[in-house]
Amino acid sequence: MRSIRLAAAVTVLLATAALAEAPKPAAITVENVPPISDDLAAATRPYLEYRTAAFDGWNSATRSMLIATRFGSTSQLHLVATAGGMRRQVSFEEEPVGGHPSPAGDVIVAVKDVGGGEFFQLYTLKDGRLTLLTDGKSRNDFGAWDKEGRLIGYSSTRRDGTDTDLYVMDPRDRSSDRLIAQVHGGGWNFADFAPGGRQAVVVNSQSITNSDPYLLDVASGRLTAIGNVKKDINYGTVRFAPDGSLWATSDENSDVLRLGRLDPRSGRFAPVSPASHWDVEDFDIGKDGRTIAFTVNEAGSSRLFLLDVASGQVRPVSALPAGVISGLEFAPWGPLGFSLDSARSPSDVFSLDPATLAVTRWTASETGGLDPTANAEPQLIEIKSFDGEPVSGLLYRPDPRRFPGPRPLIVSIHGGPEGQSRPGFLGRNNYLINELGIAIFYPNVRGSTGYGKRFVGLDNGPWQRENSVKDIGPFLDRLAADPAIDPKRIAVTGGSYGGYMCYASSIFYARRLKGSVCIVAVSGFVSLLEHTESYRRDLRRVEYGDERDPRQRAKLLEISPLRRASEIRDPLFVVAGFNDPRVPKSEADQMVKAVRATGNPAWYMVAANEGHGYKKKENLDYQFWSTVQFWKTNLLGPEPAR
């Protein structure tokens, strides 16, 4: 009888333990990652239940907004009829959906891939259902609607899987789909159509500092270069005004992008925006042609301005918090729509009255019941790197009243490398700061965007690549000297190229780091260039080097973290997506195998239904729980004696 009671007690204990584990999503497989406790899941829950809203355009038929937000697992399209109104869901897919409403207001073209593979397809969306427009196999990127709302222009790898040829279609009639220009390279797409739809401007993006604009005759498919395409000039946004004139952002004769007029015949660029040390990052032209809205990226924060085309007068819009603005689009009836997110607000959708500069908030995304104004605002950290080059980053500190004394620090490195850490909403990471007392530092090492084309090119090629890793050392010196940071409890994380930086930092600064979480990370440059999707390969060769050249290949092999995997001695957590077209899962497989061969029991997580970064909420939650567990185990540890 006693043995029966003991067995029953053991059964109850085992059942209780099983119930105490948060369920792992079916698509996720893990190795050496411990189960997640219900207690951890419950403690983090409020920080996982925030939403965001992104502006996808105006619906001219109803004067409503089309936005993307999430109520289930993935972001879906919703219509908002008026400021503060209900978010009425109109797409209902398992995968995230983006949308582009027709200027006529009668059709929405939706964009969706499967499992994060980025082989995007175009659809029409009606009555909650998608109707396929493209071939269902190739990668298709939406470009632009014509001004009249009759045709769309888009690019597709349909012909050979590599080159992004140019197509037009009336999405109301799939049979109208027409290849109009066969091109070479994976960076082509439509930027805008001229009034009347007979011409379009298309751009061939060859690198972050070199993109070439062309005029396209829509009837014949003839491409005519605008200016000298042999010059290394970047054109960011290019748009036609209602009078047929062409406007663009360009860094011609400048280190930064400026807004100005572009003569399509001579290629002459005439800057109009005021002189600045910062990039003009985006713009849109009012439907009457009288006003241009543009944003300037000032040390990561977006500043919004309105340009009066006739007088050249520029008015700043001051009634906005420091944050990141995206998706500028004027409605035909006047207001400007856009998205804005900041440290203390998730991305939400706003409109601006160009006459009065009054700002109206259309959405107020939920934050899990938490007060977002309690979130930390970033501190700008500026230093000189190993060679005297100025570099900077954003430091988020926990509340010293709640967490006195030196605190642990995570260095979180952005991807790209042509990217930038900016003062946006940190989402789940606010839990690390607010509840665990971990400081987070987001560096912008050389090669980051936002600081001019000279700076973005400082890491190009295999012989300059590790200079960006060397930038991390002086940052560590500066942060370790901060009395509010514990120099013995510093760790690193990063995704994509930031994942390469994560591996490389673990090697370069092995004695200074307590752990590394490297996500969809590059472990070998030659293997990356040989296995990334073919439409991306030439674009990446410009940045990293050409693996086909024997001398460059040897250097790329030399600087790859995989070659020095035995030097990673700190605990390592590797995260990958099975369908990643950019950094294939094989990059993670080979690194985990190499590190484990040295006796380091690396944690490893793979999601079968994700690609380059997780998008589905259940997967994101489980990844975050596992990451918190990793930091608790390897970074937090016992509090230092005071």
Side-chain angles (χ1 to χ4, degrees):
M1 180 67 72
R2 182 179 177 185
S3 63
I4 294 174
R5 286 198 299 268
L6 181 60
V10 170
T11 301
V12 170
L13 285 171
L14 290 173
T16 302
L19 289 172
E21 292 180 10
K24 180 173 65 64
I28 285 183
T29 57
V30 295
E31 298 173 6
N32 294 341
V33 179
I36 305 302
S37 71
D38 274 346
D39 288 344
L40 174 58
T44 59
R45 182 69 64 188
Y47 288 88
L48 311 183
E49 299 307 323
Y50 71 95
R51 293 191 178 92
T52 62
F55 177 59
D56 275 6
W58 294 99
N59 185 317
S60 297
T62 60
R63 296 198 170 190
S64 61
M65 277 188 175
L66 183 69
I67 70 164
T69 190
R70 179 197 56 77
F71 279 85
S73 173
T74 59
S75 179
Q76 299 294 315
L77 295 175
H78 296 67
L79 287 171
V80 182
T82 187
M86 178 185 72
R87 293 160 290 186
R88 182 169 67 84
Q89 189 166 340
V90 294
S91 72
F92 304 87
E93 300 295 313
E94 293 183 4
E95 304 291 347
V97 179
H100 303 275
S102 161
D106 62 330
V107 179
I108 295 174
V109 172
V111 182
K112 181 177 74 72
D113 73 347
V114 176
E118 300 185 18
F119 286 91
F120 298 106
Q121 303 302 318
L122 305 185
Y123 305 80
T124 53
L125 171 62
K126 184 178 181 181
D127 299 330
R129 296 189 177 186
L130 298 182
T131 300
L132 183 66
L133 294 174
T134 44
D135 66 350
K137 298 178 292 184
S138 59
R139 177 186 170 97
N140 304 273
D141 285 314
F142 182 89
W145 277 99
D146 69 8
K147 307 289 188 195
E148 295 72 30
R150 296 176 302 211
L151 295 176
I152 60 168
Y154 71 99
S155 66
S156 177
T157 62
R158 188 180 311 167
R159 175 172 54 87
D160 62 5
T162 299
D163 299 314
T164 49
D165 296 332
L166 302 171
Y167 292 75
V168 294
M169 179 198 304
D170 178 352
R172 304 161 190 84
D173 177 11
R174 185 182 181 187
S175 67
S176 68
D177 191 25
R178 179 166 63 96
L179 170 66
I180 57 171
Q182 184 173 304
V183 296
H184 176 72
W188 291 82
N189 208 346
F190 286 78
D192 198 11
F193 283 86
R198 294 182 179 179
Q199 285 187 318
V201 60
V202 300
V203 175
N204 177 22
S205 297
Q206 300 184 65
S207 75
I208 192 66
T209 59
N210 186 5
S211 55
D212 302 324
Y214 292 79
L215 275 182
L216 171 68
D217 183 274
V218 175
S220 68
R222 184 178 67 254
L223 287 165
T224 303
I226 300 175
N228 185 356
V229 295
K230 294 182 179 180
K231 289 185 176 181
D232 191 18
I233 301 171
N234 181 33
Y235 293 89
T237 306
V238 187
R239 299 191 191 281
F240 281 102
D243 64 0
S245 61
L246 197 57
W247 289 75
T249 56
S250 173
D251 63 8
E252 184 173 12
N253 300 320
S254 170
D255 190 50
V256 297
L257 290 167
R258 299 177 292 176
L259 172 66
R261 293 180 174 90
L262 179 62
D263 188 325
R265 291 180 294 276
S266 68
R268 179 177 176 272
F269 177 73
V272 172
S273 57
S276 172
H277 297 297
W278 308 105
D279 284 333
V280 175
E281 56 186 347
D282 193 16
F283 73 93
D284 193 40
I285 305 172
K287 301 304 186 263
D288 59 5
R290 296 165 56 188
T291 305
I292 297 178
F294 66 95
T295 52
V296 177
N297 176 352
E298 295 188 2
S301 291
S302 299
R303 292 200 62 197
L304 177 61
F305 299 88
L306 295 184
L307 167 70
D308 181 84
V309 173
S311 68
Q313 179 186 3
V314 174
R315 293 178 293 158
V317 178
S318 57
L320 294 170
V324 181
I325 295 172
S326 59
L328 298 178
E329 183 183 323
F330 278 103
W333 52 97
L336 175 74
F338 58 93
S339 306
L340 168 68
D341 76 298
S342 66
R344 293 182 171 174
S345 174
S347 176
D348 269 313
V349 177
F350 297 78
S351 66
L352 173 78
D353 184 328
T356 66
L357 302 188
V359 175
T360 301
R361 185 169 186 163
W362 281 61
T363 62
S365 294
E366 296 83 354
T367 55
L370 299 169
D371 178 8
T373 63
N375 294 335
E377 294 272 16
Q379 173 190 352
L380 180 65
I381 303 293
E382 298 176 292
I383 64 165
K384 295 289 183 67
S385 192
F386 68 95
D387 57 355
E389 181 68 32
V391 289
S392 61
L394 301 173
L395 176 62
Y396 294 78
R397 300 178 184 269
D399 186 344
R401 294 168 298 181
R402 184 175 178 189
F403 299 102
R407 300 306 306 167
L409 171 76
I410 296 169
V411 178
S412 182
I413 307 171
H414 68 70
E418 310 98 329
Q420 183 185 19
S421 289
R422 306 182 66 180
F425 191 68
L426 297 187
R428 292 166 175 81
N429 282 343
N430 283 313
Y431 174 81
L432 303 178
I433 301 169
N434 296 344
E435 305 300 334
L436 299 184
I438 300 173
I440 305 180
F441 178 64
Y442 294 87
N444 285 310
V445 297
R446 69 189 64 205
S448 301
T449 53
Y451 305 94
K453 64 182 176 184
R454 184 197 68 85
F455 188 82
V456 82
L458 289 179
D459 66 343
N460 283 1
W463 283 273
Q464 294 191 102
R465 178 59 45 208
E466 290 184 328
N467 287 343
S468 59
V469 185
K470 293 177 183 177
D471 286 338
I472 297 298
F475 277 129
L476 292 177
D477 294 339
R478 163 66 175 81
L479 295 165
D482 191 311
I485 290 172
D486 183 353
K488 296 182 179 180
R489 294 191 293 169
I490 299 178
V492 65
T493 188
S496 189
Y497 177 79
Y500 154 73
M501 291 287 292
C502 178
Y503 287 145
S505 296
S506 300
I507 294 165
F508 275 58
Y509 311 107
R511 296 177 181 272
R512 306 179 69 172
L513 298 174
K514 298 288 288 183
S516 308
V517 178
C518 305
I519 304 162
V520 296
V522 177
S523 62
F525 287 108
V526 170
S527 54
L528 171 77
L529 291 166
E530 288 179 340
H531 297 109
T532 193
E533 284 293 337
S534 60
Y535 60 81
R536 304 186 69 252
R537 206 162 285 150
D538 286 342
L539 296 171
R540 293 299 81 199
R541 284 170 176 150
V542 174
E543 174 66 35
Y544 297 135
D546 193 335
E547 84 289 358
R548 300 166 299 183
D549 176 86
R551 184 167 172 263
Q552 293 190 53
R553 184 183 186 91
K555 187 64 177 178
L556 288 168
L557 288 169
E558 177 190 328
I559 65 173
S560 292
L562 183 65
R563 188 183 69 86
R564 300 175 62 183
S566 62
E567 299 177 51
I568 298 180
R569 297 184 176 90
D570 57 305
L572 176 66
F573 183 12
V574 176
V575 178
F578 189 85
N579 304 314
D580 193 336
R582 305 187 191 197
V583 181
K585 173 179 169 287
S586 54
E587 289 292 302
D589 291 340
Q590 65 186 11
M591 194 64 171
V592 169
K593 181 180 179 180
V595 169
R596 286 179 177 171
T598 68
N600 186 329
W603 295 18
Y604 190 24
M605 175 181 290
V606 178
N609 59 349
E610 300 280 12
H612 196 64
Y614 294 0
K615 300 293 192 297
K616 297 177 173 66
K617 184 178 185 300
E618 63 273 16
N619 297 336
L620 283 166
D621 289 351
Y622 203 83
Q623 178 190 352
F624 181 70
W625 290 331
S626 299
T627 302
V628 169
Q629 193 157 248
F630 183 85
W631 295 137
K632 283 188 170 185
T633 302
N634 300 298
L635 179 62
L636 287 178
E639 289 289 320
R642 299 193 179 99

